[in-house]
Every structure is written in structure tokens, then in C-alpha cells.
Amino acid sequence: MANRAETVISEIVKAVREVLKRHDVTFEEYRAGVGFLMQYAKAPEYEIPLVCDLWFNATITDNEMNHRKGSVTNVEGPYFLESIPTITDRIKTRGDGGEELIIEGKVVDLAGKPVEGAELYIWHSDHEGEYSGFNPEISPDFYRGKKIIDSTGAFSIRTVVPVPYMIPHQGPSGKMLELMGRHPWRPAHVHFKVRAPGFLEHTTQAYFAGEKWVDSDCVEAVRPALVHKLQERGGVKVLKKDFVLDPA
Ligand code: MBD
Ligand code: FE
């Protein structure tokens, strides 16, 4: 019986061969493609994970949902940090711009019961599309927070609205998108990760209905269940987001 590596790799090769045949790819084109890939050898280390995530990470998180009944998971992206401030009701921002946003909802199990003690990590770009801790000018204490969920399961967090984000496009991955006539933008999004003993780790994102790039995310990760219509309360935007955790 074929092992898993044999099964998956041989089918990838077969799928690629079929494309090469269907489009009658020439030797010159093949050599040009290999030459293009060789740029990755000289590129910064993040370029290989970036191109893999660009094309395949969202597919892997879709697979995750074959084994889950809870709310829809989504790609983690490259900017998760473990060590971030614990928060009660507010994510620290530099206070120098950005529209106010309230994120509220609950963390429950499949039966709808609150998951007390769950750790809810939230992170997002600032109002200029920069991620703290990665842009060296923004301390990782900003635009990130970890909320410990209480016995009600509910949370309400104030922060600012993130904006669309351009993935690093100076290197070969950006060049690949350009060759294809595609743009390097992701729609504005908020990242979440929920951890609780006895439950599967739950990583997801929230997107905003009607916003730019929602229908053309460069990493093709937007899923309908993750596109939220922002509400408004007293002039402040409100994102409602519930997390339904699957048992481990
Ligand atoms: C991001 O901010 C992101 O969320 C993903 C999935 C990929 C690149 C940058
Ligand atoms: Fe992101």
C-alpha cells in the first residue's frame, strides 16, 4: 500500500503534468518558470512560507472544517504573537488615528454553553495597515490583546478598525502576482485565536461586508461565514463575532 507521502506527492505531480499538457507549455516556458523559482534561494526566509500560504493555507483550513462542527476557522497568517498583554475591555492603540471599533460576542461549546477560562487572542493591523511587533516602530503591546473569558462566555472589546493590508510584494511572491496581473491586497480583517483546555484550538478571522478587496483577497481566504456586517451603536462600529469551539 502506498504511504501518505507517495499518495499526496505523486498526485501533485500528476496534477501539474496535466496542466502542463493542457496548456502545451514549452521548454522555454518551463526553463523560465524554473528560473523564476530560483529567486527564492536568494530571497528573505519568509518568502517560501509566504508563497505556500498565498496558494494553499486557506485550503488547509477548509480541510480542518471536515472534522469540526463549530464556527468556521481560517488562516492564521504570519503575524500571530504568543506574548501579548492580557486585556479586560480595551486593546491598546497608539491613539493617533483609526475609527473606533467594538468587538463583542461569546465563546461557547457545541451545546451553546459558555467556555469559562478560554483565552481569546485578538490581533489586527493599525489604521495604516501595519502589524505591531513586525513593524519595528510599533510595540507588540498595541493592536493585540488576550482576553480571559468569564463564566458568562461573553466579551466586549474596544479597539480601532483595521484597514486593507498589502502582503510583502517586493520579493518573488509579489512578482508572481504581478506576472499574473493580480494585486497583493487582503481586505481589512481581525485575527482571532481561542484556546481552552478540552477544546481544539480555534484560529479564525473576521472580514467586513462591502469593504474593498473582500471579493478579491489575494490569499483567497475569505469565506461567507466570516464576512460580518458591521453594526453601529452610538456612532461606534460594532463587530459581532461568536466562537463555537469543538471538543478536542
Ligand atoms: C496577513 O495579515 C494575513 O492575515 C495573511 C493570511 C497573509 C498575509 C498577511
Ligand atoms: Fe492579517
Side-chain angles (χ1 to χ4, degrees):
M1 206 181 63
N3 66 40
R4 189 150 166 90
E6 212 286 321
T7 303
V8 174
I9 296 170
S10 70
E11 285 192 36
I12 288 172
V13 171
K14 195 167 142 206
V16 172
R17 284 178 184 155
E18 278 163 13
V19 173
L20 299 179
K21 285 185 202 170
R22 192 174 327 127
H23 297 283
D24 194 18
V25 170
T26 66
F27 187 66
E28 281 76 48
E29 289 171 326
Y30 166 68
R31 290 294 296 235
V34 172
F36 185 91
L37 289 180
M38 286 183 58
Q39 295 177 54
Y40 280 91
K42 290 187 231 98
E45 216 177 319
Y46 66 75
E47 281 284 342
I48 288 176
L50 179 68
V51 74
C52 294
D53 289 356
L54 174 62
W55 300 129
F56 305 118
N57 194 353
T59 305
I60 301 296
T61 53
D62 286 344
N63 285 350
E64 221 166 63
M65 290 314 295
N66 296 336
H67 311 279
R68 290 174 183 240
K69 298 191 184 74
S71 44
V72 174
T73 57
N74 201 218
V75 301
E76 178 171 303
Y79 303 129
F80 172 69
L81 289 177
E82 285 288 342
S83 297
I84 60 172
T86 299
I87 55 169
T88 51
D89 61 354
R90 188 177 288 276
I91 286 175
K92 261 202 246 173
T93 67
R94 284 169 304 172
D96 59 355
E99 215 181 334
E100 228 187 326
L101 175 68
I102 296 172
I103 306 173
E104 60 181 37
K106 52 192 193 319
V107 180
V108 296
D109 67 12
L110 290 178
K113 194 169 145 275
V115 181
E116 183 176 5
E119 297 176 321
L120 169 63
Y121 293 75
I122 305 177
W123 71 105
H124 58 77
S125 81
D126 72 358
H127 59 283
E128 290 170 333
E130 296 291 321
Y131 277 90
S132 69
F134 290 87
N135 177 324
E137 281 163 27
I138 314 173
S139 152
D141 285 355
F142 293 117
Y143 309 102
R144 298 173 184 274
K146 179 166 84 171
K147 167 78 183 171
I148 311 296
I149 299 299
D150 69 18
S151 61
T152 68
F155 62 88
S156 178
I157 311 287
R158 276 183 185 257
T159 184
V160 293
V161 182
V163 299
Y165 173 83
M166 215 194 292
I167 66 165
H169 62 287
Q170 302 81 0
S173 308
K175 190 101 97 17
M176 193 181 300
L177 287 169
E178 196 185 304
L179 275 170
M180 296 166 75
R182 291 200 189 179
H183 66 74
W185 288 94
R186 299 212 65 223
H189 57 278
V190 181
H191 293 269
F192 303 92
K193 188 189 282 294
V194 192
R195 289 178 176 155
F199 294 90
L200 295 179
E201 182 169 283
H202 188 99
T203 305
T204 193
Q205 300 194 25
Y207 306 94
F208 311 129
E211 288 293 309
K212 200 161 187 193
W213 315 118
V214 165
D215 298 318
S216 66
D217 178 13
C218 68
V219 307
E220 299 174 77
V222 178
R223 298 293 174 267
L226 305 177
V227 180
H228 303 268
K229 198 165 159 31
L230 284 181
Q231 303 177 6
E232 208 157 302
R233 195 187 307 135
V236 180
K237 295 209 157 121
V238 181
L239 166 65
K240 292 263 192 192
K241 182 88 178 164
D242 293 335
F243 302 93
V244 182
L245 305 186
D246 284 273

